[in-house]
Amino acid sequence: MTTKKQRNLCIEELASRGIYAYENNGLVIVSIDEIDQSFILHDEEVIARAQILEQL
């Protein structure tokens, strides 16, 4: 499981790249409007992206 802080940092990191993401029921959802699709990030991906911002 990821923490709320990790999910928020992950969403912030994605937003800095122009990628829309949001949290829903403890999951990070990435939305891709161009292809009208959404997908859920795995916990490992959320943690890795959160660590990018934590290191700054």
Side-chain angles (χ1 to χ4, degrees):
M1 287 298 290
T2 58
T3 66
K4 178 87 171 165
K5 179 181 177 182
Q6 288 171 322
R7 292 188 297 271
N8 287 339
L9 285 172
C10 175
I11 291 168
E12 184 180 332
E13 195 275 331
L14 289 166
S16 74
R17 298 171 183 264
I19 299 170
Y20 176 68
Y22 60 96
E23 181 183 356
N24 187 15
N25 295 326
L27 301 171
V28 175
I29 313 295
V30 175
S31 179
I32 303 173
D33 292 333
E34 291 81 13
I35 58 173
D36 197 27
Q37 295 278 326
S38 296
F39 61 92
I40 299 169
L41 292 183
H42 291 279
D43 287 350
E44 295 82 15
E45 180 71 18
V46 172
I47 293 167
R49 290 186 177 277
Q51 288 175 340
I52 291 170
L53 290 184
E54 286 177 333
Q55 292 174 356
L56 296 178

